[in-house]
Amino acid sequence: MQITAENILSALRNVDDPDLKKDIVTLGMVKDVVVSGSEVSFTVVLTTPACPMKELIKKACINAVKMFVDDSLEVTVNMTANVTTTENKTLPGVRNIIAISSGKGGVGKSTIAANLAVSLANTGARVGLLDADIYGPSIPILFGFEGEKPYLNAENKLIPFERHNVKLMSIGTLVSPQQAIVWRGPMASKALRQMIFDTAWGELDYLLIDMPPGTGDVHLTLVQALPVTGAVVITTPQKLAVADARKGAEMFRWDQINVPILGVIENMAYFIPDDAPDKKYYIFGENGGKSLAGDLETQLLGQIPIRQGIAENSDFGTPVAVYENGVLGESYKEIAQKLAQNVAIRNANFAPTHRVEIQKS
Ligand SMILES: Nc1ncnc2c1ncn2[C@@H]1O[C@H](COP(=O)(O)OP(=O)(O)O)[C@@H](O)[C@H]1O
Ligand SMILES: [Mg+2]
């Protein structure tokens, strides 16, 4: 019997994408099926290069072809990714916009945004990070471009800085926090809009935005200016921090705004002493992140331990995800994968986020 591409496709209908819960053929993820004698090849296009189930899906494809078509076939599966999006009109080329938010300052929002950006870029995704924390920008310090000014390209757009394959722009390069402190909301909003739209981001799979803590004009500007794909909420375990984070996150859930919350990250979750690496001390309490995720009807993407020396590393302008292979690097990698999965699920299941028209009274 002559084996056809149709036979291969119908075998592959037995393989599901575990996140989207449909088979990969129906989802349009199988491309370029070629049958040549006893050799079969095809490409599986995942929804993110950060997919933790890449190997599992690949093996399932090979098994399905062998089981349902012919055991003796030589099967080659090429795995690629095409990050999904629901919108690309407002900021052409940018597929997903993710707001990294927190209830209050000092919980590690910028540190985590920087490390998530690097972790996502490590998977091969095209990543940008926008520092919108107008009153306390710290991305230039975290990536070592403090005091540098961005160049303009031929179209008069700001050329983002680039470190560790992440495109970076910070409101701190346009205005000093000392200046910003006396700005009223509309000025901050105008500066933010400029930075978003006047930066030559190019093609990005994920644009992470390091938000100011809490809620305010900058937050409203952001959801008015951009169709934000979703928000990530950072908290520390303390009850008060969790309460603040919950208050901050509620804004995204307002009826008119309705930005999905893609998950919670608990920072400074526990402490592992250098001289007793098998011990975990929950010095700030346990389960704060988990209970917040429950309240917000979202997932706890992960917990980041307290790290001795993290501050020194940050001061050298190198996020730990760049070189750390230990517990911290692994935590960031897992969190980045879950976040990318949740973005893909969101894009498959929900209508696009709309920009918000808010009437100010
Ligand atoms: N997991 C952690 N362990 C130890 N120190 C941390 C951790 N996360 C953040 N920090 C430190 O806490 C301080 C505040 O972090 P930062 O990312 O600037 O917070 P935010 O952006 O929320 O204000 C920084 O000095 C940072 O190095
Ligand atoms: Mg910060």
Side-chain angles (χ1 to χ4, degrees):
M1 187 191 84
Q2 182 74 32
I3 294 166
T4 64
E6 269 314 308
N7 300 139
I8 304 301
L9 284 173
S10 69
L12 292 174
R13 284 187 189 278
N14 293 288
V15 179
D16 271 0
D17 179 304
D19 291 327
L20 307 182
K21 303 197 169 44
K22 280 188 194 145
D23 76 85
I24 58 174
V25 178
T26 302
L27 288 167
M29 292 163 68
V30 182
K31 302 261 188 278
D32 305 330
V33 182
V34 177
V35 185
S36 158
S38 64
E39 288 175 18
V40 174
S41 72
F42 51 88
T43 300
V44 176
V45 187
L46 299 169
T47 50
T48 171
C51 179
M53 271 147 339
K54 208 182 280 185
E55 280 310 305
L56 204 78
I57 293 174
K58 184 174 176 175
K59 284 210 183 89
C61 288
I62 296 173
N63 286 339
V65 171
K66 286 180 173 286
M67 195 182 293
F68 293 104
V69 185
D70 188 336
D71 194 23
S72 65
L73 288 171
E74 182 101 23
V75 186
T76 309
V77 191
N78 306 306
M79 304 296 284
T80 65
N82 186 14
V83 173
T84 49
T85 179
T86 55
E87 210 277 351
N88 52 16
K89 286 190 214 76
T90 317
L91 209 52
V94 176
R95 297 188 175 196
N96 293 287
I97 299 164
I98 302 167
I100 312 288
S101 69
S102 72
K104 56 178 193 134
V107 300
K109 180 170 45 60
S110 301
T111 307
I112 288 179
N115 281 288
L116 281 184
V118 171
S119 295
L120 283 169
N122 283 344
T123 69
R126 299 164 300 177
V127 182
L129 172 58
L130 172 72
D131 181 3
D133 194 349
I134 188 156
Y135 307 110
S138 54
I139 295 303
I141 302 170
L142 285 165
F143 283 91
F145 62 93
E146 206 190 1
E148 290 179 39
K149 291 277 173 214
Y151 290 98
L152 293 174
N153 69 10
E155 280 101 52
N156 258 337
K157 295 242 179 191
L158 298 164
I159 302 170
F161 295 89
E162 194 159 341
R163 299 282 189 280
H164 313 295
N165 289 321
V166 178
K167 290 191 176 163
L168 302 155
M169 187 51 67
S170 171
I171 192 97
T173 66
L174 302 184
V175 54
S176 76
Q178 289 94 321
Q179 261 176 294
I181 209 110
V182 294
W183 282 10
R184 302 288 308 269
M187 275 175 84
S189 297
K190 183 146 187 272
L192 182 66
R193 273 175 202 272
Q194 243 171 20
M195 203 183 40
I196 293 169
F197 292 107
D198 293 352
T199 297
W201 295 108
E203 296 277 326
L204 292 181
D205 294 317
Y206 306 103
L207 174 61
L208 272 47
I209 304 189
D210 184 6
M211 304 286 287
T215 50
D217 287 290
V218 171
H219 298 78
L220 288 178
T221 298
L222 192 85
V223 294
Q224 281 177 294
L226 293 174
V228 176
T229 311
V232 173
V233 182
I234 315 293
T235 188
T236 52
Q238 298 95 324
K239 280 207 171 78
L240 275 177
V242 169
D244 277 346
R246 186 186 296 116
K247 242 188 282 165
E250 282 305 332
M251 185 203 91
F252 292 111
R253 310 212 305 163
W254 289 349
D255 273 353
Q256 326 107 288
I257 291 183
N258 207 8
V259 168
I261 295 178
L262 299 166
V264 168
I265 300 172
E266 188 185 68
N267 191 25
M268 311 192 203
Y270 52 84
F271 178 68
I272 303 176
D274 278 348
D275 54 358
D278 48 341
K279 289 210 172 104
K280 276 187 187 179
Y281 292 98
Y282 291 87
I283 20 191
F284 296 137
E286 243 172 300
N287 293 327
K290 203 168 150 192
S291 80
L292 179 63
D295 291 348
L296 298 174
E297 299 167 310
T298 186
Q299 188 186 16
L300 180 65
L301 296 173
Q303 295 173 299
I304 307 279
I306 299 169
R307 188 192 141 108
Q308 284 169 298
I310 193 173
E312 293 101 86
N313 290 325
S314 303
D315 290 345
F316 284 123
T318 308
V320 292
V322 174
Y323 58 84
E324 172 104 14
N325 297 314
V327 60
L328 213 57
E330 273 308 307
S331 305
Y332 280 123
K333 188 173 153 199
E334 276 171 33
I335 292 172
Q337 287 177 336
K338 277 195 197 159
L339 174 60
Q341 275 179 297
N342 286 353
V343 169
I345 293 170
R346 182 238 169 276
N347 287 344
N349 294 338
F350 300 105
T353 309
H354 292 291
R355 288 185 289 136
V356 182
E357 309 295 336
I358 294 171
Q359 310 299 328
K360 283 216 171 153
S361 49

